[in-house]
Amino acid sequence: MQKKQNLAIVSTECHGEKINGLRSNRYLLRYTLLLFLTWSVVELYVIPSSEHFRPFYKILIWVLPVLLYIRLVDKNKPIYYLNLANKIDINGWVFIIASATILAINSLGSYLHEGSIDFKLNTPHLINAVLLAGITEEIVFRGFIFKKLSEKLCYWSSNTLQSILFASIHIPIWISNNQDITILFLYVFSFGLAMGYFAKKSKSLWTVVIIHSLHNLLI
């Protein structure tokens, strides 16, 4: 009798976990679809006529929903869930120094080839592409989406999927700027894979935030 009761309890717990898992999957899917739809519309039709509001749009559409999701749906503290409370460890500093060296060599190569380096050190670029993109994009993709996927999938699957999503969300701006989508997609996809690996190994989101900002400054 006791054994049957224990089995019934286990069955009920498993059923509850399954329902919670399905609900969590639906929430994540809805969030991702809403992010892509909203940002595509804003990038294509709103930002071209109000570029100076890009920081506001990015915080409102990218960061705020993630913070609310973690707080209200997951009942967790964003700073801990996103690994923003973790200090950069030795692995993180190795990744940062190695990435900075590679980016500096690339910039030097550009200088030797073209005779100049355009860092675009104007205020809008520093705010939007360097400071803001680094923190907002890493919060969404490596801090939130990658971690959510990692709870359900193996490392390679979750990292590949978040990299595809990361590259895909840049498509609207590439369309707006009439850029080569195929080449840029492959490049940003590869960049996303590297950021996912660095985030996993260093266990601090600040590692990839710094690398991402350096990349946008030097490339």
Side-chain angles (χ1 to χ4, degrees):
M1 185 66 178
Q2 183 65 36
K3 185 175 181 180
K4 289 182 178 180
Q5 289 178 340
N6 292 338
L7 289 174
I9 292 172
V10 171
S11 177
T12 302
E13 291 176 347
C14 291
H15 182 65
E17 290 176 359
K18 185 176 182 180
I19 291 175
N20 290 335
L22 291 173
R23 186 180 293 118
S24 177
N25 290 340
R26 288 199 297 269
Y27 283 147
L28 182 59
L29 179 60
R30 289 170 185 170
Y31 160 79
T32 305
L33 290 174
L34 186 59
L35 169 64
F36 273 73
L37 177 61
T38 306
W39 187 247
S40 295
V41 171
V42 170
E43 188 71 82
L44 290 171
Y45 301 107
V46 179
I47 288 180
S49 60
S50 56
E51 177 66 32
H52 51 290
F53 284 114
R54 179 182 287 272
F56 170 76
Y57 296 139
K58 206 148 192 183
I59 292 172
L60 180 65
I61 297 171
W62 288 56
V63 177
L64 185 58
V66 167
L67 301 181
L68 291 175
Y69 187 112
I70 296 171
R71 193 66 183 174
L72 301 179
V73 178
D74 291 345
K75 309 297 183 184
N76 210 331
K77 293 183 178 180
I79 192 171
Y80 295 113
Y81 187 84
L82 297 170
N83 289 336
L84 288 169
N86 296 350
K87 294 181 179 179
I88 300 174
D89 62 8
I90 185 63
N91 289 328
W93 284 115
V94 168
F95 296 145
I96 291 171
I97 293 171
S99 299
T101 302
I102 293 172
L103 292 169
I105 292 173
N106 179 76
S107 296
L108 179 60
S110 297
Y111 174 78
L112 294 175
H113 182 261
E114 300 175 7
S116 64
I117 302 177
D118 183 12
F119 288 134
K120 300 179 182 178
L121 297 178
N122 55 75
T123 301
H125 179 76
L126 286 174
I127 293 175
N128 294 325
V130 179
L131 299 178
L132 194 63
I135 185 69
T136 57
E137 294 181 10
E138 292 308 322
I139 281 178
V140 173
F141 286 95
R142 261 63 68 178
F144 181 66
I145 292 179
F146 180 40
K147 192 164 186 177
K148 280 292 180 186
L149 293 173
S150 297
E151 293 170 359
K152 309 171 190 304
L153 305 170
C154 69
Y155 163 71
W156 288 109
S157 297
S158 56
N159 197 26
T160 299
L161 186 52
Q162 69 84 12
S163 299
I164 292 173
L165 293 172
F166 176 61
S168 298
I169 205 166
H170 288 82
I171 291 177
I173 194 172
W174 297 335
I175 292 175
S176 180
N177 294 336
N178 295 314
Q179 294 173 290
D180 190 324
I181 294 177
T182 302
I183 293 176
L184 287 171
F185 187 94
L186 292 174
Y187 177 80
V188 175
F189 169 76
S190 300
F191 181 78
L193 285 176
M195 293 300 99
Y197 177 79
F198 295 158
K200 179 178 184 296
K201 290 297 183 180
S202 69
K203 296 181 176 59
S204 173
L205 196 67
W206 292 113
T207 299
V208 288
V209 167
I210 292 173
I211 294 174
H212 196 145
S213 297
L214 285 172
H215 170 273
N216 288 4
L217 174 65
L218 298 173
I219 296 297

